Amino acid sequence: MDPRGLVILVAILVAETSCVADGTLVFPVERHKRSLSAIKAHDAQRRGRILSAVDLNLGGNGVPTRTGLYYTKLGLGSPPKDYYVQVDTGSDILWVNCVECSRCPRKSDLGIELTLYDPKSSETAELISCDQDFCAATYDGPMPGCKSEIPCPYSITYGDGSATSGYYVQDYLTYNRVNGNLRTTPQNSSIIFGCGAVQSGTLGSSSEQALDGIMGFGQANSSVLSQLAASGKVKKIFSHCLDNISGGGIFAIGEVVEPKVSTTPLVPRMAHYNVVLKTIEVDTDTLQLPSDIFESGNGRGTIIDSGTTLAYLPGLVYDQLMQKVLTRQPGLKLYLVEQQFSCFQYAGNVDRGFPVVKFHFEDSLSLTVYPHDYLFKFNEGGMWCIGWQKSVSQAKNGKDMTLLGDMVLSNKVVIYDLENMAIGWTDYNCSSSIKVKDEATGAVRTVGAHDISSVSTCFIGRILTFFLLLIAILNY
């Protein structure tokens, strides 16, 4: 080999080893920056998808957060191949584009290589037929006209007109199991997922933000989380901690033992992570609102959704909250940026000049939102924009809904405990670490965060690394 080639090869191996050895690069999540208009357009699509009646009790998918598009890499098949998929708390199933797809994107502007899944190229792939138990459970009964040779279909139509359809297959998912502090080992498990044959709308052939598919973390039995839990591999608990200060983050599956987190009940029999919001407090003043404005019946209520960027409030709530937020700065002049964001010039410290907002939920759980959370810089010239938005989304009875996205969830450990149907959070330094329990041994393991600068040499573009750490129960 040419000596220069050998040096390059060694450098690559050292870089790869350094990325893995610290135990932090588990399902890395890249981000792609967009304009304010693109952020608002994303949330509009997101709300449309969430509020639609879709097959398989799916809530939808979205392109996450104000810093860009979050996605993770996972392995499918034998031998495993890499696929880049969105991580979505608002939908249920995992699906990837398949080799026979007629309108699947072939390239992506995100700087990643797209791969079409081919069941025939995997030694462990099996088609799920319509007469199998999984299919009957998914469709609440036998499919009319089903024959054993007919694949079990899936089809999702979202509120923004996007659609995906195909059939279910069963194959190995390769992930990383925690086996020590900041240390993991490869593990695989057989799961059922969607093989996408036809995509349309924003999921179609456009290369902008194109990925291989979506991995849903919803509550349905068809989700990867539910399947892994049913096979005894994990507990039905996951958590995330998004750091919008230094750009790090954690995404973990398993019981979090540190930090301690208080919870509020999830509203039962809802497609999404709905909670009961009681009151809103601005600068210690409680908003005077109708007693039924946050009711959860008839599809109404408050949704916690990490795939939505901003926070959307019913019109009456929004008007009162904005009035109180701006009370401290009576001479502030508001500008309309990109025809949709209220912005202003401010040279001072926003945490000193604007009030704290608190959401109070059932069982006395509060969510504190600081000015640096709900205000964000538009440019370096001192222009700030307000993240609170007036909801245009309505439930089936025409009432406005409350949708709380990453703007209010950042810099907090958020735990989704489906074992006890509860969700909770606590303020936290998301660039530090959390401790999770290994269900196999009872040992407590440290899961650390990672910042963008220290992993930027391992991946194309600017990277926010999450950790999808599956705490497996192994029967040796």
Side-chain angles (χ1 to χ4, degrees):
M1 177 183 290
D2 180 80
R4 289 175 299 177
L6 180 60
V7 170
I8 293 173
L9 176 60
V10 171
I12 292 173
L13 291 175
V14 169
E16 289 291 329
T17 303
S18 65
C19 288
V20 176
D22 65 6
T24 57
L25 290 187
V26 182
F27 290 146
V29 182
E30 288 203 33
R31 65 180 186 176
H32 179 66
K33 287 191 174 181
R34 294 172 298 155
S35 66
L36 292 182
S37 298
I39 290 170
K40 198 71 177 289
H42 147 62
D43 282 351
Q45 293 177 355
R46 178 78 176 178
R47 294 193 304 275
R49 293 172 177 181
I50 284 178
L51 298 174
S52 297
V54 298
D55 289 346
L56 312 182
N57 199 32
L58 293 177
N61 67 68
V63 184
T65 84
R66 71 186 185 191
T67 53
L69 175 62
Y70 291 90
Y71 53 94
T72 188
K73 183 173 71 173
L74 51 82
L76 291 174
S78 299
K81 294 182 179 180
D82 291 337
Y83 298 87
Y84 294 90
V85 295
Q86 296 176 19
V87 178
D88 180 29
T89 61
S91 64
D92 296 307
I93 71 168
L94 164 64
W95 62 265
V96 293
N97 295 322
C98 278
V99 67
E100 67 267 47
C101 182
S102 60
R103 290 199 60 195
C104 286
R106 294 299 195 268
K107 62 180 181 178
S108 174
D109 292 343
L110 301 177
I112 60 174
E113 183 177 350
L114 300 181
T115 303
L116 296 176
Y117 174 78
D118 184 2
K120 295 180 180 178
S121 69
S122 174
E123 299 174 358
T124 49
E126 296 180 8
L127 294 180
I128 300 298
S129 61
C130 63
D131 62 346
Q132 290 183 249
D133 292 342
F134 176 88
C135 199
T138 298
Y139 288 97
D140 296 324
M143 294 187 62
C146 172
K147 297 180 181 179
S148 59
E149 65 272 15
I150 298 177
C152 179
Y154 86 86
S155 179
I156 309 166
T157 301
Y158 300 108
D160 66 347
S162 299
T164 174
S165 61
Y167 53 92
Y168 283 106
V169 297
Q170 185 168 11
D171 208 343
Y172 277 126
L173 165 70
T174 301
Y175 53 89
N176 288 295
R177 180 181 67 87
V178 175
N179 66 342
N181 292 331
L182 303 177
R183 192 172 71 242
T184 64
T185 185
Q187 181 74 25
N188 59 39
S189 181
S190 182
I191 63 163
I192 296 173
F193 58 94
C195 192
V198 180
Q199 315 292 7
S200 64
T202 57
L203 301 176
S205 56
S206 173
S207 61
E208 182 184 8
Q209 304 167 5
L211 291 168
D212 291 316
I214 295 171
M215 180 163 63
F217 273 83
Q219 304 177 53
N221 291 333
S222 55
S223 73
V224 170
L225 177 66
S226 295
Q227 292 187 60
L228 291 172
S231 64
K233 297 292 176 63
V234 300
K235 273 195 169 183
K236 214 170 178 181
I237 305 171
F238 70 95
S239 58
H240 59 67
C241 192
L242 308 179
D243 185 352
N244 67 2
I245 299 173
S246 61
I250 302 169
F251 198 108
I253 292 180
E255 181 182 352
V256 176
V257 297
E258 188 180 314
K260 298 296 184 182
V261 174
S262 298
T263 62
T264 186
L266 288 167
V267 179
R269 297 179 295 279
M270 302 294 279
H272 307 283
Y273 294 108
N274 286 65
V275 291
V276 177
L277 177 59
K278 295 290 190 179
T279 60
I280 300 177
E281 182 183 321
V282 182
D283 223 3
T284 71
D285 292 335
T286 300
L287 300 186
Q288 301 303 309
L289 301 167
S291 59
D292 65 343
I293 197 164
F294 298 125
E295 280 186 358
S296 298
N298 299 317
R300 293 171 60 190
T302 301
I303 295 175
I304 304 294
D305 180 30
S306 64
T308 293
T309 304
L310 305 171
Y312 296 83
L313 307 171
L316 183 60
V317 179
Y318 172 84
D319 292 339
Q320 283 197 37
L321 183 142
M322 286 292 288
Q323 181 182 8
K324 288 188 175 294
V325 163
L326 298 174
T327 297
R328 284 197 192 178
Q329 305 292 337
L332 208 62
K333 184 177 180 180
L334 295 180
Y335 301 89
L336 192 62
V337 174
E338 297 187 6
Q339 299 183 338
Q340 51 196 333
F341 285 91
S342 296
C343 303
F344 55 87
Q345 290 288 140
Y346 191 76
N349 185 318
V350 293
D351 283 324
R352 295 176 182 173
F354 294 87
V356 170
V357 177
K358 290 186 177 181
F359 293 80
H360 298 285
F361 297 87
E362 189 175 9
D363 285 359
S364 302
L365 180 65
S366 296
L367 178 66
T368 302
V369 187
Y370 300 95
H372 66 259
D373 293 325
Y374 66 78
L375 300 174
F376 59 94
K377 275 191 174 181
F378 175 66
N379 56 35
E380 296 302 320
M383 179 74 78
W384 292 81
C385 294
I386 302 172
W388 303 115
Q389 300 293 311
K390 184 178 292 188
S391 177
V392 294
S393 304
Q394 294 185 334
K396 296 177 181 178
N397 59 1
K399 298 292 186 179
D400 291 340
M401 298 184 69
T402 303
L403 187 58
L404 302 179
D406 281 341
M407 185 185 85
V408 302
L409 300 177
S410 295
N411 307 314
K412 298 172 178 64
V413 171
V414 182
I415 296 178
Y416 303 74
D417 184 356
L418 302 185
E419 299 280 342
N420 299 296
M421 284 303 291
I423 186 171
W425 46 76
T426 187
D427 290 343
Y428 203 67
N429 176 6
C430 294
S431 64
S432 58
S433 62
I434 64 174
K435 294 184 183 295
V436 294
K437 183 178 179 181
D438 187 327
E439 295 302 321
T441 64
V444 175
R445 309 295 192 188
T446 298
V447 177
H450 212 81
D451 61 34
I452 293 174
S453 60
S454 61
V455 297
S456 59
T457 57
C458 303
F459 296 93
I460 297 174
R462 300 180 67 189
I463 301 171
L464 168 62
T465 303
F466 286 147
F467 305 93
L468 181 55
L469 300 172
L470 306 183
I471 314 303
I473 297 177
L474 301 179
N475 297 315
Y476 290 106

